[in-house]
Amino acid sequence: MTSNILVTGGAGYVGSHTVVELINAGYSVVVLDNLVNASMESIKRVEEITGKSVPSHSIDLLDRNALEGLFKKYKFSAVMHFAGLKAVGESCELPLLYYKTNLVGTINLLEVMKENGVYNMIFSSSATVYGAPVYLPLDENHPVGGCTNPYGKTKYFIENMLIDLCKADNQWNIILLRYFNPVGSHISGKIGESPQGVPNNLMPYVAQVAVGKRKELTVYGEDYDTPDGTGVRDYIHVVDLALGHLAALKKLDEKCGCKIYNLGTGKGYSVLDMVKAFEKASGKPIPYKITARRLGDIASCYADASLAENELHWKAERSLDQMCEDLWRWQSMNPNGYL
């Protein structure tokens, strides 16, 4: 029986790009997704890009029986765990939904993995676990847990569960990848970020303004202690992020126990830097208005990703221009996302 990589949330933005890179690298992949924030259209397009069929199952991690059935059907060597709710604002309005979906879903997954002798996992964590930076750039030793919203807390709590699990049972090998801000899309323009409703993140919003779906961008705050007064973040091309998962998969082969890595570029760009870069890539003006700061937003946040470079032999290679060009290709070819 072939050994497969199970990708939970594999029809989503980062998941689908990672599935492409896994298949291109010769891995057999099975996708699980409950399709709350995703569409199976993304998997159809992954199949077009790779020329391979991708077994996909519409299963919710809260459905323990369906999950057990999936593990009976396939042999898995490792799990890449992307599945989870991820909208910061929504998590503040619906905290119980976030805790139940993200925490209980993960516990179900870990229990079923253990029952089936699968002890290798790569977990999709987030730089939100760092909270407000005490120092910059953020390295993996920076204090964690000062999360400003329930979404970030779910990532922090899951990290703690996984660390405790590895301490209790040395059969487990788990890598926690703390993402900074993924942007861009596959160079084909066939897959990309397809937010439902109003985008929560800056760049999909900018792209929708450029394509004429939205009138203007709202910039929250111009009085931060940054070069131009707008918030600074570390933006990473989604394909670089996907390749970071492949590097982590190789690390699991070393029986590495529990490891934590930042995946970012180490460079910070302001909101207005991003707007200018996208205007250049799209050839379209991006009208914007400045309003007051948002509660909970921080001035600057960017990574020290040298640990991933040293231990995983991975580094983000794609430039800001490439992020914007690839995002514009996706947005102009798919003005309504996968709809």
Side-chain angles (χ1 to χ4, degrees):
M1 202 182 198
T2 315
S3 192
N4 300 278
I5 309 293
L6 174 62
V7 182
T8 75
Y13 174 43
V14 181
S16 60
H17 284 81
T18 305
V19 169
V20 167
E21 299 307 324
L22 284 166
I23 292 169
N24 286 344
Y27 291 97
S28 298
V29 177
V30 175
V31 167
L32 169 158
D33 204 300
N34 69 359
L35 304 178
V36 165
N37 284 323
S39 155
M40 275 302 173
E41 177 62 29
S42 69
I43 297 301
K44 280 190 206 146
R45 299 199 188 179
V46 166
E47 292 177 330
E48 286 171 27
I49 291 166
T50 60
K52 298 269 168 58
S53 70
V54 181
S56 305
H57 299 267
S58 178
I59 290 174
D60 194 300
L61 291 176
L62 296 175
D63 183 346
R64 177 75 184 250
N65 291 339
L67 194 55
E68 286 169 353
L70 191 69
F71 274 76
K72 298 274 180 293
K73 185 171 180 180
Y74 299 97
K75 182 180 189 307
F76 297 117
S77 57
V79 175
M80 286 197 181
H81 182 28
F82 297 95
L85 295 174
K86 60 170 191 173
V88 168
E90 184 184 59
S91 78
C92 298
E93 292 159 22
L94 301 168
L96 280 183
L97 176 67
Y98 271 66
Y99 289 125
K100 183 172 183 180
T101 303
N102 294 3
L103 294 175
V104 179
T106 302
I107 291 169
N108 281 348
L109 177 61
L110 291 164
E111 287 177 347
V112 174
M113 284 172 70
K114 186 175 181 181
E115 283 164 16
N116 289 275
V118 182
Y119 291 99
N120 295 314
M121 176 185 271
I122 294 169
F123 174 59
S124 159
S125 191
S126 161
T128 53
V129 299
Y130 293 119
V134 180
Y135 59 82
L136 287 168
L138 293 163
D139 61 24
E140 291 82 355
N141 296 317
H142 185 284
V144 290
C147 308
T148 52
N149 55 73
Y151 159 69
K153 285 178 191 164
T154 66
K155 293 293 188 190
Y156 172 65
F157 293 151
I158 292 168
E159 279 200 2
N160 278 291
M161 283 184 344
L162 298 175
I163 291 164
D164 288 341
L165 186 57
C166 288
K167 278 183 192 156
D169 182 350
N170 65 11
Q171 290 181 91
W172 287 93
N173 300 293
I174 301 178
I175 295 181
L176 316 177
L177 297 177
R178 292 176 178 161
Y179 304 173
F180 282 70
N181 297 58
V183 295
S185 64
H186 189 266
I187 197 162
S188 65
K190 285 178 186 283
I191 58 172
E193 190 167 8
S194 181
Q196 295 174 348
V198 179
N200 294 300
N201 300 327
L202 172 66
M203 292 313 284
Y205 205 106
V206 168
Q208 289 190 3
V209 172
V211 87
K213 279 195 77 171
R214 304 205 178 269
K215 188 165 73 84
E216 63 184 2
L217 171 71
T218 303
V219 177
Y220 296 99
E222 60 172 345
D223 56 350
Y224 287 107
D225 183 14
T226 60
D228 64 18
T230 64
V232 167
R233 297 291 180 271
D234 187 334
Y235 295 91
I236 175 172
H237 196 296
V238 68
V239 174
D240 279 329
L241 188 58
L243 291 167
H245 290 73
L246 267 68
L249 202 49
K250 293 192 178 82
K251 185 74 177 173
L252 288 177
D253 292 339
E254 298 172 17
K255 302 281 178 247
C256 59
C258 189
K259 294 279 187 185
I260 300 172
Y261 300 102
N262 286 336
L263 295 185
T265 64
K267 293 189 195 79
Y269 292 105
S270 74
V271 174
L272 296 184
D273 288 335
M274 299 305 284
V275 167
K276 284 184 200 115
F278 203 80
E279 285 181 332
K280 179 181 157 192
S282 64
K284 307 272 185 187
I286 310 286
Y288 63 86
K289 63 169 190 223
I290 308 252
T291 61
R293 295 181 183 193
R294 267 186 313 204
L295 200 64
D297 273 355
I298 53 183
S300 291
C301 172
Y302 50 93
D304 176 345
S306 56
L307 190 65
E309 187 175 357
N310 294 335
E311 295 193 8
L312 301 180
H313 313 295
W314 168 91
K315 190 171 189 231
E317 304 285 353
R318 287 158 181 79
S319 66
L320 176 57
D321 284 346
Q322 201 170 343
M323 296 176 210
C324 292
E325 284 159 17
D326 291 344
L327 172 55
W328 176 240
R329 188 180 303 108
W330 153 255
Q331 186 71 64
S332 52
M333 285 169 66
N334 305 273
N336 298 310
Y338 292 117
L339 298 177

